[in-house]
Amino acid sequence: GRVHAYPLNDAPSASVARDKVFAYQMLEAAGHRVPPYEYYFLHDAYRAVRGDGRERADLPDGAARLGFPLFVKPLDGSRGNLADIVANPQELSRQIERIAKVHHGAILQPVLTGHEYRLFMIDDMAMFLYRREPGAFIGDGKRTVAAWLEDENSRRVAHGLSPVTVTSAFLTRQLAQRQLTLDSTLPAGHKLSFLPTANISAGGHITDFSDQVPPALARWGRSVTRALALRVGAIDFFAPNGLDDPASFDIIEANSNPSLAGVLEAGHLGAVERIWHEICARYFDEAPDSG
C-alpha cells in the first residue's frame, strides 16, 4: 500500500514528493528542469479552499495550451497506474473519467521522446542507474493479443494495478499501426508495446543496469533529492542529449518510496543488499540511544 519502506525519509517529505505538482514546483524553484504541465482537480471536494482555473471544466483550455498528443496520469499516482497517451479531446475525456474514479486530480504533459532512466540515491551516494523500457508483448506465434492481454491483466490486478483496457488509447493506436486486432496472433519474436510508461512494476523492463554512476551524475542526483528533502529517492528522467549533460535532463518524478522488486527480479541481488545495508547502517547509527 502507501506505507513508506525507507526509514530515512520523513513523512512530510515523502508526501510532498508523491504529489507531482508540489514536487515539480519545488524542483523548479531549485533550478531543475521538469516537463511542461497542467494540472486539474476532478471533484468538487475542497473547492472552497482553492482558486479558479484548475477545475474539470478548465481541462480543454489546458490541453489546447500544451497541444495533443498528451500524457495524462493521476496527480498522486504511482507505478504508472492509470497513465495513458491521448491524441484528441475524446480520448482525453475517457482518460479523465478513468482517473476520476480513483483519484482527486490529474496532470497533463507533452509526450517526451528519448531514453528514460532511473537513478537511485541514498544521501550523496548514487547506488545504481538503469534505462527503462516500456512494457511489451513479445509474440510466440501462438497466443492472440487478447489471450496475452488476459494473462497480463490477471498479473496486474494481483499486484494492485489497474488492468489494460481494450479501449486504451495507446493500445488501440499500437494495434492500428501494426494492422492488428485483439484476435491477431503476433508472430514469434515480434514486439507489441501495450503501455506508454516504462514503470517496471507495471510491466516495463530494465536495461543497461550499472552500479558505477559517474560523479557528475551523482552530484546532480543529490541536488534533486535535496530539493525535496529526501534522503532515499529514485529519480526518473529523460536524457535527450545523453547522460553527460545533466542540465538537459527532464525530471519525470523523484520517487520517495521506490520499489526494488524489479531490480531483484532482473538479477541484481547484490545491489539490493547494498542498499538495505547502507540504509540500516545509517538509520541505526543515527538513532538516539534508548538505553
Side-chain angles (χ1 to χ4, degrees):
R2 295 196 176 195
V3 174
H4 292 284
Y6 302 105
L8 294 181
N9 285 340
D10 60 38
S13 299
S15 297
V16 167
R18 187 178 182 87
D19 186 295
K20 293 174 177 54
V21 171
F22 281 152
Y24 280 170
Q25 290 171 344
M26 295 180 70
L27 289 169
E28 287 180 298
H32 292 289
R33 283 173 55 101
V34 301
Y37 62 93
E38 296 276 349
Y39 65 96
Y40 298 93
F41 300 99
L42 306 182
H43 302 285
D44 290 335
Y46 302 106
R47 177 65 184 88
V49 297
R50 60 180 181 251
D52 296 330
R54 297 292 178 184
E55 303 307 308
R56 196 163 176 169
D58 301 308
L59 265 160
D61 293 336
R65 282 192 291 271
L66 292 175
F68 290 99
L70 291 170
F71 188 73
V72 184
K73 58 187 176 182
L75 196 60
D76 61 343
S78 61
R79 302 189 293 168
N81 207 24
L82 291 172
D84 206 349
I85 293 175
V86 301
N88 53 57
Q90 293 74 31
E91 291 181 357
L92 174 60
S93 179
R94 288 194 292 269
Q95 172 67 357
I96 291 299
E97 288 293 339
R98 293 180 65 214
I99 294 174
K101 292 177 181 178
V102 184
H103 296 274
H104 73 281
I107 185 167
L108 284 58
Q109 296 175 298
V111 178
L112 300 181
T113 58
H115 292 312
E116 182 178 349
Y117 293 88
R118 167 163 285 194
L119 174 65
F120 195 105
M121 299 293 303
I122 301 176
D123 290 332
D124 57 349
M125 295 181 61
M127 304 302 293
F128 62 71
L129 172 77
Y130 62 75
R131 186 156 59 89
R132 309 203 304 178
E133 295 287 348
F137 168 34
I138 307 299
D140 57 10
K142 300 176 182 178
R143 284 193 298 170
T144 65
V145 175
W148 176 86
L149 196 59
E150 182 178 356
D151 291 342
E152 171 62 16
N153 282 338
S154 295
R155 184 195 73 83
R156 292 174 65 84
V157 170
H159 286 81
L161 295 167
S162 62
V164 180
T165 67
V166 295
T167 58
S168 160
F170 181 81
L171 178 61
T172 299
R173 277 192 301 277
Q174 292 294 310
L175 291 172
Q177 289 170 7
R178 302 285 298 279
Q179 296 184 322
L180 299 171
T181 70
L182 293 173
D183 294 325
S184 300
T185 298
L186 199 63
H190 285 225
K191 183 168 72 171
L192 175 68
S193 297
F194 66 92
L195 285 176
T197 65
N199 299 70
I200 306 306
S201 58
H205 304 286
I206 290 174
T207 62
D208 299 336
F209 181 95
S210 176
D211 57 6
Q212 301 298 312
V213 179
L217 188 53
R219 288 192 296 272
W220 173 84
R222 181 53 184 148
S223 69
V224 172
T225 52
R226 184 181 289 121
L228 297 174
L230 294 177
R231 298 190 59 189
V232 178
I235 308 162
D236 299 330
F237 63 97
F238 277 88
N241 300 330
L243 293 174
D244 295 329
D245 186 15
S248 71
F249 296 168
D250 284 306
I251 301 171
I252 306 303
E253 183 177 5
N255 195 322
S256 63
N257 196 38
S259 172
L260 292 170
V263 176
L264 181 62
E265 291 169 4
H268 304 291
L269 173 61
V272 175
E273 289 178 334
R274 284 193 296 275
I275 284 169
W276 276 109
H277 175 82
E278 192 66 36
I279 289 172
C280 290
R282 293 183 185 220
Y283 178 76
F284 287 110
D285 284 348
E286 297 166 9
D289 186 357
S290 60

